[in-house]
Every structure is written in structure tokens, then in C-alpha cells.
Amino acid sequence: MPSKEKKAELFKKIHDAVVEFEEETTRDLCKEALEVGIDAYDAVMAGLTRGMDTVGGLYEKNEYFVPELLLCSDAMYAGLEVLRPHIKVKSGKVNGKIIIGVVEGDIHDIGKSLVKTMFEAASWDIFDLGKDVKLQNFVEELARTNADVVAMSALMTTSMLAMPKLIDMLKAQKPDVIIMVGGAPLSEEIAGQYGADGYAEDAVLAVKEAQRLLEASL
Ligand code: B1M
């Protein structure tokens, strides 16, 4: 096992590579992290995701603009591709079927992809609709798959406003479907106001909450 210092050093390097949009370096550092025995999930959270947090701060300070955000996102995704197959999540007593997507008007899909990765690692059946998904597409996918859970993501205070309408549409289609919402502008309180069954602050908690809600519904 790597020392605490070695881990911290590699996380910092991964963070910096994302911030400096060095796609190839991010990929290589993530491979190195796996080779030295670092947990893949820790590398995602302490390296890649922290990098994106810093990028967000630079954007807010007008030091980075949309082109830089796109390049940083590419670096983040390059690292995630390396780490994704190695992420382990404890499976619950039951694993369900889940539809996941980013609501219409919103193209931020990094968080959604992390959530999807965690559900994959927990052996759920996943139907990923992608980003900027028309509300009707969620409803049609629910009719097609009869999924247990629908998880919707939004990163903007504007796009999240579509969620209550979508929740009504989904509940009309399948009254007992479990609906979860997430994304930076959401909160437990807003989820309740929107009529969602669950909310999760991050990708790992999303799996735990979905497992809890599904077990409670059986
Ligand atoms: Co834009 N963007 N962006 N952006 N972007 C934000 C969101 C913003 C907050 C930046 C800012 O102004 N401070 C702001 C939104 C403001 C608002 O709320 N109104 C913003 C804006 C304004 C915009 C544009 C309008 C900019 C423009 O064009 N002028 C435009 C929007 C276009 C559109 O969507 N229609 C835009 C575009 C982009 C890029 C394409 C360049 C790029 C996205 C690339 C991509 O996703 N493929 C981008 C990025 C990278 C960001 C920031 C910097 C980072 C977002 C991110 O990936 N975070 C962001 C600023 C910030 O967040 N500080 C910003 C990392 C990710 C891991 O976190 O997505 O929160 P997050 O996911 C977490 C949790 O939230 C949770 O789990 C995840 C992992 O633990 N979670 C869920 C997420 N979904 C969940 C679903 C669940 C459960 C948990 O289901 C149950």
C-alpha cells in the first residue's frame, strides 16, 4: 500500500493535470495510482473531482472560460475511463433497474457519469439517457424498461426547474416508481418540495439511497 504522503502527492498531481487540462498526463497518473494500489474511487474523488472543483472556481473568477472548461472536462473523462472499471461499491440486498439522465436544457454530464459509474459498480441495470434529455424521453424509457428508479441530474438553477413537471409525468406513468434527484443546485429540501422520493449529494450516497428506497418498497 502506498504511504499517506505518496497518495496525497498523486492526488495533487491528478488534480493539477485536470486543472491544466493535460489529458494524457491525467490518464497516465490514474494508471499510476492503480499500479501503486490506490483505491480507484479515492482517486476519482480526491484527484479528478477536486480538480473540477478548482476549475469551477477559476471559471467564477473569470480566469477560465468555456473552452478551458471543456478541455478540463476531457481530462477528467480520460482519467475516469481508466479508473471506472476498478471502482468497487458494496452491493445492497437488492439491485434494481435505473434510468438516469440530465434534464433538458442542461449539458453538464460529468456528475451524472459519476453517478452512473457507481451504479454500474453496484451491479444495477442502467439505462443512461445522456444529457439534455427531453422530458418525454424519460417517460418513454420508463414505459419501455419498467425501471424501479429514475435518477435525474441538473447542474443549473434554470434547468432544475423542469424537475417537478418531470416527476409528475413519471408518477402518472408509474405511480410507484422511485424518483431521485441530484446535482449541485439541488438539496434535500428542494427534492422534497419537488415531490422526489430521494436526494443524494454525491455519487456513492446516490447508490446507498437508491438501495434503501428500493428495499423499503419491497
Ligand atoms: Co457550466 N456552469 N456552463 N460547463 N460548469 C456551472 C454549472 C456553473 C455553476 C458555473 C458558474 O457560473 N459558477 C454555471 C451554472 C449557473 C447556474 O446555476 N445558473 C454554469 C454555466 C452558466 C454554464 C453555461 C451556461 C456557460 C455558457 O455557455 N456561458 C453552459 C451551459 C450550457 C447548458 O447546459 N445549456 C456551461 C457549459 C459547461 C461546459 C460544457 C463547458 C462544462 C460541462 C462539461 C460536461 O459536463 N461534460 C461546464 C462545467 C465543467 C462547469 C463546472 C465548472 C463544473 C461542473 C462539474 O462537472 N463539476 C460548473 C461550476 C461548478 O460546479 N463549480 C459549471 C464536477 C461534478 C463531479 O460535480 O456535477 O455537481 P457535480 O456532480 C456531483 C453531485 O452534484 C452529485 O454527484 C456528483 C459526483 O459526486 N450528482 C448527483 C450529480 N448529479 C446527480 C444525480 C443524482 C445524484 C447525485 O441522482 C440521484
Side-chain angles (χ1 to χ4, degrees):
M1 278 301 275
S3 67
K4 234 173 140 181
E5 291 73 27
K6 172 75 186 166
K7 268 175 139 178
E9 185 196 326
L10 253 177
F11 292 155
K12 167 90 171 63
K13 282 187 180 170
I14 294 172
H15 164 280
D16 292 351
V18 170
V19 175
E20 285 152 29
F21 39 91
E22 289 170 354
E23 196 175 321
E24 203 51 53
T25 310
T26 309
R27 194 178 283 120
D28 290 346
L29 288 166
C30 289
K31 283 183 192 157
E32 188 183 336
L34 292 175
E35 278 158 19
V36 300
I38 287 176
D39 180 78
Y41 177 70
D42 290 347
V44 170
M45 296 314 284
L48 298 175
T49 304
R50 269 201 204 145
M52 286 310 294
D53 287 344
T54 302
V55 170
L58 291 168
Y59 180 74
E60 273 155 38
K61 286 193 273 175
N62 285 329
E63 287 180 36
Y64 272 16
F65 300 93
V66 169
E68 285 84 2
L69 294 191
L70 281 170
L71 293 169
C72 296
S73 305
D74 287 347
M76 154 102 200
Y77 268 120
L80 188 60
E81 283 316 306
V82 173
L83 297 170
R84 193 196 297 271
H86 303 275
I87 293 174
K88 297 176 211 82
V89 172
K90 209 171 147 244
S91 292
K93 288 187 203 116
V94 286
N95 295 328
K97 285 198 274 186
I98 185 165
I99 295 169
I100 186 162
V102 182
V103 294
E104 66 184 16
D106 198 328
I107 60 167
H108 298 90
D109 63 358
I110 294 176
K112 184 271 301 168
S113 297
L114 285 177
V115 175
K116 177 187 174 187
T117 298
M118 295 309 149
F119 277 99
E120 273 170 356
S123 305
W124 279 55
D125 288 336
I126 302 148
F127 305 96
D128 181 7
L129 296 174
K131 60 193 172 189
D132 190 14
V133 181
K134 297 260 164 298
L135 305 191
Q136 190 57 30
N137 290 2
F138 279 96
V139 179
E140 284 165 15
E141 191 69 349
L142 181 60
R144 192 183 73 79
T145 62
N146 194 30
D148 308 293
V149 180
V150 177
M152 49 186 89
S153 175
L155 256 286
M156 297 196 293
T157 47
T158 45
S159 58
M160 70 189 238
L161 300 176
M163 286 179 165
K165 184 176 174 200
L166 176 55
I167 292 171
D168 285 348
M169 289 163 75
L170 292 166
K171 290 280 182 189
Q173 165 77 33
K174 184 181 177 190
D176 63 347
V177 67
I178 295 166
I179 299 187
M180 293 184 58
V181 296
L186 277 299
S187 66
E188 189 93 55
E189 198 188 343
I190 295 174
Q193 288 165 3
Y194 282 2
D197 301 295
Y199 160 79
E201 196 179 330
D202 67 34
V204 166
L205 292 176
V207 177
K208 283 192 184 151
E209 180 64 355
Q211 282 167 343
R212 186 188 71 76
L213 289 165
L214 185 56
E215 282 168 26
S217 74
L218 297 174

